[in-house]
Amino acid sequence: MHADEPHRRGEEDEDGGVYPAFSTLCERHGLRATPQRAAVYRELRGSADHPSAETIFRRVRRRLPNVSFDTVNRTLLTFASVGAAAVVEGFGDSRRFDPDTHNHHRLVCVKCRAIRDVRYPPYDDLPVPPELTRDFEVLGKRVVLQGLCPLCRQGPQRG
Amino acid sequence: MHADEPHRRGEEDEDGGVYPAFSTLCERHGLRATPQRAAVYRELRGSADHPSAETIFRRVRRRLPNVSFDTVNRTLLTFASVGAAAVVEGFGDSRRFDPDTHNHHRLVCVKCRAIRDVRYPPYDDLPVPPELTRDFEVLGKRVVLQGLCPLCRQGPQRG
DNA sequence: GTGATTGCAAACCTTTTGCACGCCA
DNA sequence: TGGCGTGCAAAAGGTTTGCAATCAC
């Protein structure tokens, strides 16, 4: 990743912007609304760079200096299991999360592994191969582009 | 994965079927043609199930009982670096390889993580979002389907 | 012969698990 | 108060690195 806190989403600068949604989420799934979970939720929602658990952990720690990595990681997995976060497919490095669980597409930088969301309507209604539906149950589809991000495209630095 | 050695490709049952290709590969990239690399090459070519390094290791070991895991893993990475194998994107579990480096599409079972190649011409000529080409250099594109494979679709067992 | 490659072992990183304590409902 | 959730620590799993011995060229 190119920076410790890139691509921050602009929607909710003040503290409580996401709390109602968080509260609803917990109620709906029988989860306890702990400050740790709230902080993870907030940071995840505010991240557009598909952070790893480690990255979220670092960010959460600025507000909650005593959270443990485990709690952050477990919370992210919990969120994923109730559909409040998505696990992003990667290439063997650490697991990464996406606050956007709607179907969308991605571009992955083959060099620095940055992930960028791609919105492109022509990708949204792709047909499913008919011979596949005989044996498989297709639950989702997505276009994954590979390439070089602007920074990696420029020069050999910033590996 | 559902079995230790599933989806074996049928092309080369006899030993030497892939050796000429292997030999050429090594020559072209200045690699030494060791028996370990040959065995890894053979097993990778013969696998249609996108095996992990560990899986390839187990298979190679049947013919070369003394190979080490490191050698297998390093060889796979070497092959990937010279374009003779592809690293498959996954969801946080171990890295997996594909002998087919041509652009194709995939279906991933969300339950058992089985990966199946998908060939579907309508997927092959997808346009690239124009606004992306300004900043990014797009090198490849692929459709990734998520779903349930036949075995996982049937019942709760075999997780 | 010489340098690339191997095998072993240890290091490293990420993720998972067990358990006692503390806090939310 | 009861039980879920947290934090700590250790374990587990996968990948990488260093190095001496070996083997392909």
Side-chain angles (χ1 to χ4, degrees):
Chain A
M1 209 98 43
H2 286 116
D4 202 6
E5 186 193 356
H7 315 111
R8 175 152 284 274
R9 286 210 161 108
E11 300 143 13
E12 27 68 59
D13 285 323
E14 65 281 341
D15 252 51
V18 298
Y19 277 44
F22 169 69
S23 187
T24 303
L25 171 74
C26 290
E27 272 175 41
R28 194 176 329 176
H29 294 98
L31 302 173
R32 291 197 178 165
T34 67
Q36 290 91 336
R37 281 178 175 164
V40 170
Y41 185 85
R42 185 181 186 279
E43 287 300 335
L44 182 64
R45 286 280 149 174
S47 300
D49 59 341
H50 309 80
S52 64
E54 177 68 30
T55 302
I56 289 282
F57 171 58
R58 265 188 270 114
R59 295 178 191 169
V60 166
R61 233 184 183 180
R62 289 200 297 254
R63 330 194 107 242
L64 255 59
N66 291 324
V67 275
S68 70
F69 171 79
D70 311 77
T71 297
V72 172
N73 192 42
R74 264 182 299 209
T75 299
L76 288 168
L77 292 175
T78 301
F79 285 168
S81 75
V82 300
V87 175
V88 179
E89 63 271 45
F91 286 85
D93 41 6
S94 59
R95 181 156 42 207
R96 290 166 69 175
F97 296 88
D98 189 342
D100 186 350
T101 56
H102 298 94
N103 247 9
H104 58 270
H105 314 282
R106 292 199 242 273
L107 191 151
V108 183
C109 177
V110 297
K111 201 166 168 200
C112 75
R113 294 284 137 96
I115 300 171
R116 182 195 151 121
D117 286 342
V118 172
R119 306 271 170 191
Y120 192 51
Y123 287 171
D124 291 340
D125 295 308
L126 296 180
V128 173
E131 73 272 21
L132 226 54
T133 58
R134 224 181 306 135
D135 300 328
F136 291 83
E137 185 173 343
V138 176
L139 301 171
K141 51 187 171 9
R142 162 187 344 278
V143 176
V144 178
L145 303 167
Q146 294 187 61
L148 290 170
C149 73
L151 284 160
C152 291
R153 194 187 197 178
Q154 283 170 12
Q157 81 294 3
R158 287 183 156 280
Chain B
M1 207 95 47
H2 285 117
D4 201 6
E5 186 193 354
H7 314 112
R8 175 153 284 272
R9 284 209 162 110
E11 301 142 13
E12 26 68 61
D13 285 323
E14 65 282 342
D15 252 50
V18 299
Y19 277 44
F22 169 68
S23 188
T24 304
L25 171 74
C26 289
E27 273 175 39
R28 195 177 327 177
H29 294 98
L31 301 174
R32 293 199 175 164
T34 67
Q36 291 90 337
R37 280 177 176 164
V40 171
Y41 186 84
R42 183 181 186 280
E43 287 301 335
L44 182 64
R45 285 282 149 174
S47 300
D49 58 339
H50 308 80
S52 64
E54 177 68 29
T55 302
I56 290 282
F57 172 59
R58 266 187 270 115
R59 294 179 192 170
V60 167
R61 234 187 181 179
R62 290 199 296 254
R63 330 194 109 243
L64 256 58
N66 292 324
V67 276
S68 70
F69 171 79
D70 311 77
T71 297
V72 172
N73 192 42
R74 264 182 301 208
T75 299
L76 288 168
L77 293 175
T78 301
F79 286 167
S81 76
V82 301
V87 175
V88 180
E89 63 270 44
F91 286 85
D93 41 7
S94 60
R95 181 156 42 206
R96 289 166 70 174
F97 296 88
D98 189 342
D100 186 351
T101 56
H102 298 95
N103 247 8
H104 58 269
H105 314 282
R106 289 197 244 274
L107 191 151
V108 183
C109 177
V110 298
K111 200 166 169 201
C112 74
R113 294 284 135 97
I115 300 171
R116 182 194 151 120
D117 286 343
V118 173
R119 306 271 170 192
Y120 194 50
Y123 287 171
D124 291 341
D125 295 307
L126 297 179
V128 173
E131 72 271 21
L132 227 54
T133 59
R134 224 182 305 135
D135 300 328
F136 291 82
E137 184 174 344
V138 177
L139 301 172
K141 52 187 168 15
R142 159 183 351 276
V143 175
V144 178
L145 303 167
Q146 295 186 61
L148 290 170
C149 73
L151 284 161
C152 292
R153 195 187 198 180
Q154 282 171 14
Q157 81 295 3
R158 285 184 157 280

